[in-house]
Amino acid sequence: MELKDWETTDILICGCGPTGAMLSALLGQMNIPNVVLEREANITTDPRGIALDEDGIRALQGLGLYKSIYTEIGTCMGKFNFISGTGANLSKEAFLAMDYATTAGGTGHVGYICHKQPALERKLRDVMGAHASCSLRSGSTVIDLEEDDSWTYCTYRDAEGMERKIRARFFVGSDGKTGYTRKQYLEKKGVFLERVTDVLYDETWVALNWEITLPTPQTHPEFPLWKLGYTPEQVYDAFFPSGFRFLCNPSRPAVCGRFGLPSDRLWRFEFFVRPDEDGHYLATREMLQKIVFPYITHDGSRYSLPGDVQFPEDCIKTLRSRPFGFSARSCNVWAKDRVILCGDSAHVFPPFGGQGIASGFRDALSLGWRLAMLCRYHPSNTQVHHSVLRAWYLERKQQLEQSLAATIENGKFVTESQPLKASARDWYFWLVQFVPSWRRQLELGRRRNGMVRYRYLDNMPFIPDLNGGVNLPQVYGKTSNGEVVFTDDIIFRSQPEGLFQMFVYLHSDKELAGVRKVLREVEQLSKGTILANNVPIIVEDSVTDVQDPNVIALATGDEFASSPLCDRRPEPMLYDQFALRKEVRGRYCIVRPDRFIFAACNDTKALHGAIRSMLAYLHQTGLQS
């Protein structure tokens, strides 16, 4: 083929949903040229995914989007309330409530936000647009893909209908479970979605999105609650209460709650479609009147009124009402030669754990820096590519399987259809909550398991004997001028300069002089991969007298609550100020860009060995052909 006809880039990404946009933005941070081909001309206005966990929030923070999270993207989801019975009562007391407004998860963030996906995607694309190395081609459709030992070759049709040709070191499919990459290219190479459990898990639900307008005494003078002194906001709160509700109704399980910004007044209701039912028919206005409207119709006795009170129907605008099928599956491999799957292209989740977008973000975070490493140091070495990408898959598969298992169990919990089993479930959770420690564990939800720890397999990029493979906690710090900061923002501030970062954790600033000498040695040993003047030093004791931008003191939860970082989000309840000390277990810590520990060392001998291992991994000593 005539190479003069081919545009060239390092990474070609198919699909600019949340996963593709996150990967592109991360590559842009590391100055890796990438092109994204997106079939749609514009961001969809349909709010699809609405939940993002604390790992996803942390990923947005890593792109510099923290200030936009609570002002443009979403708000804290608060409590997950599990309600039993067949009645349509959103105010019924929950038999179990998980509190995701706390910061018990180790990231410094709340457990979940409920976001508006179009706003999320806009902000991700803004970050892409800020990097010269990122190029988004909207309205572009892939029509052919080939590869050889050194390149992938893609032909696509652009927004004007012209055929274009582009080659890239790697082609990443983030175009969903029905997209081109897997369905039309990799399936014939033996890549396919397979079950992640012994039991087939396929269901259909209807997803309904409403946009709510507040009724007022002027617009709805006959609405009966005005006479009882209710304000429009109080009416809204009564019919669409805050928090999320898992309605464990044996005959029709459902999930509902607000999403987006509070001012958006968006509400999601999802309900189960039985095997003998037509999901499209259940999504019609006629059936929604029977299935959903009872939840926004209150018995008059609640207000000492003679008749039922329904929220005004003309204050409800339907944005989405359609069935969707879901399952729990993962591809048998995520990378085949130079073509890679990411996000929904590689795995699909049931909706019960809010893990779809977050898992795609985790894929992008763990893949992005590896692609940067391969493009910089090993652009043509297929043996290294295979080793690095296989280790990526094996790592991510461990965490993915944990998330999928928790999501499936949560789904079974919500959708239990046997009345006796449902009753036993309710009584069990009612009884165990009389023990305060057990109640607290239940309230923590899936976060009670602590930070993720990978089990080491061949060529994974961490040293297990030095506490490698642990997800790095994030705490709050305080600079010498009193500014409260996230520790990630200090540790990873120089990320474009190097893939691996390092920080030091001290109990007292009296140890600073000795540490600085060690850091100068590290700079020489690492051949400039780690620069002594860029290594943050986090100390537990006050450092108000130390005028060094690299020295950060720990901040308390109260100090964070009083800072601008806490605007529009809950104060940090259950925050552990000393989580870094407990999880890192070492004075000198080398960390990967995806926030996993490579090695944590307490003495210089171990540190020097870890530096050599880091360089050996980056340059793949022993794997070069």
PDB file of all heavy atoms in Angstrom, residues 529-552:
ATOM      1  N   THR A 529      14.184   9.565  35.481  1.00  0.00           N
ATOM      2  CA  THR A 529      12.776   9.181  35.408  1.00  0.00           C
ATOM      3  C   THR A 529      12.006   9.768  36.579  1.00  0.00           C
ATOM      4  O   THR A 529      10.853  10.178  36.450  1.00  0.00           O
ATOM      5  CB  THR A 529      12.637   7.641  35.400  1.00  0.00           C
ATOM      6  OG1 THR A 529      13.349   7.129  34.270  1.00  0.00           O
ATOM      7  CG2 THR A 529      11.182   7.219  35.310  1.00  0.00           C
ATOM      8  N   ILE A 530      12.644   9.805  37.741  1.00  0.00           N
ATOM      9  CA  ILE A 530      12.086  10.455  38.929  1.00  0.00           C
ATOM     10  C   ILE A 530      12.993  11.617  39.289  1.00  0.00           C
ATOM     11  O   ILE A 530      14.196  11.436  39.496  1.00  0.00           O
ATOM     12  CB  ILE A 530      11.969   9.465  40.108  1.00  0.00           C
ATOM     13  CG1 ILE A 530      10.932   8.386  39.783  1.00  0.00           C
ATOM     14  CG2 ILE A 530      11.600  10.181  41.393  1.00  0.00           C
ATOM     15  CD1 ILE A 530      10.829   7.283  40.802  1.00  0.00           C
ATOM     16  N   LEU A 531      12.436  12.814  39.339  1.00  0.00           N
ATOM     17  CA  LEU A 531      13.205  14.021  39.630  1.00  0.00           C
ATOM     18  C   LEU A 531      13.028  14.395  41.095  1.00  0.00           C
ATOM     19  O   LEU A 531      11.897  14.515  41.587  1.00  0.00           O
ATOM     20  CB  LEU A 531      12.756  15.174  38.739  1.00  0.00           C
ATOM     21  CG  LEU A 531      12.881  14.930  37.227  1.00  0.00           C
ATOM     22  CD1 LEU A 531      12.305  16.110  36.447  1.00  0.00           C
ATOM     23  CD2 LEU A 531      14.338  14.692  36.839  1.00  0.00           C
ATOM     24  N   ALA A 532      14.134  14.582  41.799  1.00  0.00           N
ATOM     25  CA  ALA A 532      14.090  14.846  43.239  1.00  0.00           C
ATOM     26  C   ALA A 532      13.230  16.054  43.569  1.00  0.00           C
ATOM     27  O   ALA A 532      12.483  16.058  44.559  1.00  0.00           O
ATOM     28  CB  ALA A 532      15.511  15.047  43.768  1.00  0.00           C
ATOM     29  N   ASN A 533      13.292  17.088  42.759  1.00  0.00           N
ATOM     30  CA  ASN A 533      12.544  18.315  43.049  1.00  0.00           C
ATOM     31  C   ASN A 533      11.051  18.194  42.772  1.00  0.00           C
ATOM     32  O   ASN A 533      10.296  19.120  43.067  1.00  0.00           O
ATOM     33  CB  ASN A 533      13.113  19.477  42.228  1.00  0.00           C
ATOM     34  CG  ASN A 533      14.488  19.892  42.696  1.00  0.00           C
ATOM     35  OD1 ASN A 533      14.846  19.687  43.862  1.00  0.00           O
ATOM     36  ND2 ASN A 533      15.279  20.468  41.804  1.00  0.00           N
ATOM     37  N   ASN A 534      10.632  17.061  42.175  1.00  0.00           N
ATOM     38  CA  ASN A 534       9.203  16.860  41.897  1.00  0.00           C
ATOM     39  C   ASN A 534       8.542  15.866  42.847  1.00  0.00           C
ATOM     40  O   ASN A 534       7.351  15.595  42.697  1.00  0.00           O
ATOM     41  CB  ASN A 534       9.007  16.364  40.460  1.00  0.00           C
ATOM     42  CG  ASN A 534       9.181  17.459  39.428  1.00  0.00           C
ATOM     43  OD1 ASN A 534       9.128  18.636  39.764  1.00  0.00           O
ATOM     44  ND2 ASN A 534       9.404  17.077  38.191  1.00  0.00           N
ATOM     45  N   VAL A 535       9.302  15.308  43.773  1.00  0.00           N
ATOM     46  CA  VAL A 535       8.760  14.278  44.662  1.00  0.00           C
ATOM     47  C   VAL A 535       8.064  14.924  45.852  1.00  0.00           C
ATOM     48  O   VAL A 535       8.705  15.594  46.658  1.00  0.00           O
ATOM     49  CB  VAL A 535       9.867  13.328  45.150  1.00  0.00           C
ATOM     50  CG1 VAL A 535       9.305  12.322  46.157  1.00  0.00           C
ATOM     51  CG2 VAL A 535      10.500  12.592  43.969  1.00  0.00           C
ATOM     52  N   PRO A 536       6.745  14.736  45.993  1.00  0.00           N
ATOM     53  CA  PRO A 536       6.045  15.295  47.150  1.00  0.00           C
ATOM     54  C   PRO A 536       6.421  14.544  48.427  1.00  0.00           C
ATOM     55  O   PRO A 536       6.667  13.334  48.417  1.00  0.00           O
ATOM     56  CB  PRO A 536       4.562  15.081  46.824  1.00  0.00           C
ATOM     57  CG  PRO A 536       4.518  14.693  45.385  1.00  0.00           C
ATOM     58  CD  PRO A 536       5.827  14.067  45.073  1.00  0.00           C
ATOM     59  N   ILE A 537       6.453  15.269  49.527  1.00  0.00           N
ATOM     60  CA  ILE A 537       6.721  14.685  50.834  1.00  0.00           C
ATOM     61  C   ILE A 537       5.521  14.987  51.721  1.00  0.00           C
ATOM     62  O   ILE A 537       5.223  16.149  52.004  1.00  0.00           O
ATOM     63  CB  ILE A 537       8.009  15.251  51.452  1.00  0.00           C
ATOM     64  CG1 ILE A 537       9.202  15.013  50.512  1.00  0.00           C
ATOM     65  CG2 ILE A 537       8.267  14.619  52.818  1.00  0.00           C
ATOM     66  CD1 ILE A 537      10.489  15.699  50.956  1.00  0.00           C
ATOM     67  N   ILE A 538       4.818  13.944  52.115  1.00  0.00           N
ATOM     68  CA  ILE A 538       3.618  14.085  52.934  1.00  0.00           C
ATOM     69  C   ILE A 538       3.981  13.763  54.368  1.00  0.00           C
ATOM     70  O   ILE A 538       4.556  12.701  54.649  1.00  0.00           O
ATOM     71  CB  ILE A 538       2.502  13.152  52.426  1.00  0.00           C
ATOM     72  CG1 ILE A 538       2.143  13.487  50.979  1.00  0.00           C
ATOM     73  CG2 ILE A 538       1.269  13.235  53.321  1.00  0.00           C
ATOM     74  CD1 ILE A 538       1.242  12.470  50.312  1.00  0.00           C
ATOM     75  N   VAL A 539       3.680  14.687  55.296  1.00  0.00           N
ATOM     76  CA  VAL A 539       4.035  14.479  56.699  1.00  0.00           C
ATOM     77  C   VAL A 539       2.785  14.555  57.566  1.00  0.00           C
ATOM     78  O   VAL A 539       1.836  15.290  57.267  1.00  0.00           O
ATOM     79  CB  VAL A 539       5.081  15.507  57.175  1.00  0.00           C
ATOM     80  CG1 VAL A 539       6.368  15.369  56.397  1.00  0.00           C
ATOM     81  CG2 VAL A 539       4.548  16.918  57.073  1.00  0.00           C
ATOM     82  N   GLU A 540       2.790  13.770  58.632  1.00  0.00           N
ATOM     83  CA  GLU A 540       1.634  13.758  59.529  1.00  0.00           C
ATOM     84  C   GLU A 540       1.623  14.985  60.438  1.00  0.00           C
ATOM     85  O   GLU A 540       0.566  15.527  60.738  1.00  0.00           O
ATOM     86  CB  GLU A 540       1.633  12.474  60.363  1.00  0.00           C
ATOM     87  CG  GLU A 540       1.334  11.232  59.550  1.00  0.00           C
ATOM     88  CD  GLU A 540       1.156  10.002  60.415  1.00  0.00           C
ATOM     89  OE1 GLU A 540       1.285  10.102  61.659  1.00  0.00           O
ATOM     90  OE2 GLU A 540       0.874   8.924  59.855  1.00  0.00           O
ATOM     91  N   ASP A 541       2.810  15.414  60.909  1.00  0.00           N
ATOM     92  CA  ASP A 541       2.874  16.569  61.804  1.00  0.00           C
ATOM     93  C   ASP A 541       2.775  17.864  61.010  1.00  0.00           C
ATOM     94  O   ASP A 541       3.006  17.904  59.805  1.00  0.00           O
ATOM     95  CB  ASP A 541       4.181  16.559  62.601  1.00  0.00           C
ATOM     96  CG  ASP A 541       4.197  15.473  63.663  1.00  0.00           C
ATOM     97  OD1 ASP A 541       3.132  14.878  63.890  1.00  0.00           O
ATOM     98  OD2 ASP A 541       5.264  15.230  64.241  1.00  0.00           O
ATOM     99  N   SER A 542       2.481  18.951  61.706  1.00  0.00           N
ATOM    100  CA  SER A 542       2.328  20.252  61.069  1.00  0.00           C
ATOM    101  C   SER A 542       3.629  20.689  60.422  1.00  0.00           C
ATOM    102  O   SER A 542       4.725  20.470  60.953  1.00  0.00           O
ATOM    103  CB  SER A 542       1.898  21.291  62.111  1.00  0.00           C
ATOM    104  OG  SER A 542       1.883  22.581  61.550  1.00  0.00           O
ATOM    105  N   VAL A 543       3.507  21.313  59.251  1.00  0.00           N
ATOM    106  CA  VAL A 543       4.694  21.819  58.545  1.00  0.00           C
ATOM    107  C   VAL A 543       4.521  23.300  58.201  1.00  0.00           C
ATOM    108  O   VAL A 543       5.023  23.775  57.203  1.00  0.00           O
ATOM    109  CB  VAL A 543       4.934  21.008  57.245  1.00  0.00           C
ATOM    110  CG1 VAL A 543       5.379  19.597  57.562  1.00  0.00           C
ATOM    111  CG2 VAL A 543       3.697  20.996  56.372  1.00  0.00           C
ATOM    112  N   THR A 544       3.844  24.018  59.070  1.00  0.00           N
ATOM    113  CA  THR A 544       3.569  25.427  58.777  1.00  0.00           C
ATOM    114  C   THR A 544       4.847  26.255  58.674  1.00  0.00           C
ATOM    115  O   THR A 544       4.864  27.293  58.034  1.00  0.00           O
ATOM    116  CB  THR A 544       2.664  26.026  59.865  1.00  0.00           C
ATOM    117  OG1 THR A 544       3.249  25.758  61.155  1.00  0.00           O
ATOM    118  CG2 THR A 544       1.286  25.388  59.815  1.00  0.00           C
ATOM    119  N   ASP A 545       5.940  25.780  59.308  1.00  0.00           N
ATOM    120  CA  ASP A 545       7.189  26.539  59.257  1.00  0.00           C
ATOM    121  C   ASP A 545       8.083  26.098  58.114  1.00  0.00           C
ATOM    122  O   ASP A 545       9.169  26.641  57.927  1.00  0.00           O
ATOM    123  CB  ASP A 545       7.942  26.389  60.589  1.00  0.00           C
ATOM    124  CG  ASP A 545       7.176  26.996  61.747  1.00  0.00           C
ATOM    125  OD1 ASP A 545       6.462  27.993  61.518  1.00  0.00           O
ATOM    126  OD2 ASP A 545       7.286  26.460  62.864  1.00  0.00           O
ATOM    127  N   VAL A 546       7.676  25.081  57.357  1.00  0.00           N
ATOM    128  CA  VAL A 546       8.483  24.582  56.251  1.00  0.00           C
ATOM    129  C   VAL A 546       7.964  25.203  54.955  1.00  0.00           C
ATOM    130  O   VAL A 546       6.896  24.860  54.465  1.00  0.00           O
ATOM    131  CB  VAL A 546       8.419  23.042  56.170  1.00  0.00           C
ATOM    132  CG1 VAL A 546       9.264  22.550  55.000  1.00  0.00           C
ATOM    133  CG2 VAL A 546       8.879  22.415  57.471  1.00  0.00           C
ATOM    134  N   GLN A 547       8.718  26.112  54.397  1.00  0.00           N
ATOM    135  CA  GLN A 547       8.313  26.793  53.172  1.00  0.00           C
ATOM    136  C   GLN A 547       8.868  26.056  51.962  1.00  0.00           C
ATOM    137  O   GLN A 547       9.845  26.462  51.339  1.00  0.00           O
ATOM    138  CB  GLN A 547       8.798  28.248  53.201  1.00  0.00           C
ATOM    139  CG  GLN A 547       8.209  29.072  54.335  1.00  0.00           C
ATOM    140  CD  GLN A 547       6.698  29.119  54.284  1.00  0.00           C
ATOM    141  OE1 GLN A 547       6.103  29.361  53.238  1.00  0.00           O
ATOM    142  NE2 GLN A 547       6.061  28.887  55.431  1.00  0.00           N
ATOM    143  N   ASP A 548       8.257  24.915  51.670  1.00  0.00           N
ATOM    144  CA  ASP A 548       8.686  24.076  50.555  1.00  0.00           C
ATOM    145  C   ASP A 548       7.426  23.578  49.854  1.00  0.00           C
ATOM    146  O   ASP A 548       6.603  22.889  50.463  1.00  0.00           O
ATOM    147  CB  ASP A 548       9.515  22.896  51.071  1.00  0.00           C
ATOM    148  CG  ASP A 548      10.095  22.057  49.944  1.00  0.00           C
ATOM    149  OD1 ASP A 548       9.499  22.027  48.846  1.00  0.00           O
ATOM    150  OD2 ASP A 548      11.130  21.403  50.155  1.00  0.00           O
ATOM    151  N   PRO A 549       7.241  23.918  48.574  1.00  0.00           N
ATOM    152  CA  PRO A 549       6.011  23.504  47.875  1.00  0.00           C
ATOM    153  C   PRO A 549       5.854  21.996  47.765  1.00  0.00           C
ATOM    154  O   PRO A 549       4.757  21.510  47.501  1.00  0.00           O
ATOM    155  CB  PRO A 549       6.160  24.151  46.496  1.00  0.00           C
ATOM    156  CG  PRO A 549       7.629  24.395  46.329  1.00  0.00           C
ATOM    157  CD  PRO A 549       8.148  24.682  47.705  1.00  0.00           C
ATOM    158  N   ASN A 550       6.962  21.244  47.967  1.00  0.00           N
ATOM    159  CA  ASN A 550       6.866  19.785  47.887  1.00  0.00           C
ATOM    160  C   ASN A 550       6.430  19.145  49.192  1.00  0.00           C
ATOM    161  O   ASN A 550       6.136  17.949  49.217  1.00  0.00           O
ATOM    162  CB  ASN A 550       8.219  19.184  47.476  1.00  0.00           C
ATOM    163  CG  ASN A 550       8.534  19.406  46.014  1.00  0.00           C
ATOM    164  OD1 ASN A 550       7.628  19.531  45.188  1.00  0.00           O
ATOM    165  ND2 ASN A 550       9.806  19.480  45.674  1.00  0.00           N
ATOM    166  N   VAL A 551       6.406  19.902  50.268  1.00  0.00           N
ATOM    167  CA  VAL A 551       6.074  19.345  51.582  1.00  0.00           C
ATOM    168  C   VAL A 551       4.615  19.645  51.905  1.00  0.00           C
ATOM    169  O   VAL A 551       4.190  20.796  51.915  1.00  0.00           O
ATOM    170  CB  VAL A 551       6.999  19.905  52.675  1.00  0.00           C
ATOM    171  CG1 VAL A 551       6.614  19.333  54.041  1.00  0.00           C
ATOM    172  CG2 VAL A 551       8.451  19.569  52.360  1.00  0.00           C
ATOM    173  N   ILE A 552       3.862  18.583  52.158  1.00  0.00           N
ATOM    174  CA  ILE A 552       2.421  18.685  52.375  1.00  0.00           C
ATOM    175  C   ILE A 552       2.074  18.052  53.726  1.00  0.00           C
ATOM    176  O   ILE A 552       2.525  16.933  54.022  1.00  0.00           O
ATOM    177  CB  ILE A 552       1.644  17.953  51.254  1.00  0.00           C
ATOM    178  CG1 ILE A 552       2.061  18.474  49.877  1.00  0.00           C
ATOM    179  CG2 ILE A 552       0.139  18.070  51.460  1.00  0.00           C
ATOM    180  CD1 ILE A 552       1.744  19.931  49.646  1.00  0.00           C
TER     181      ILE A 552
END
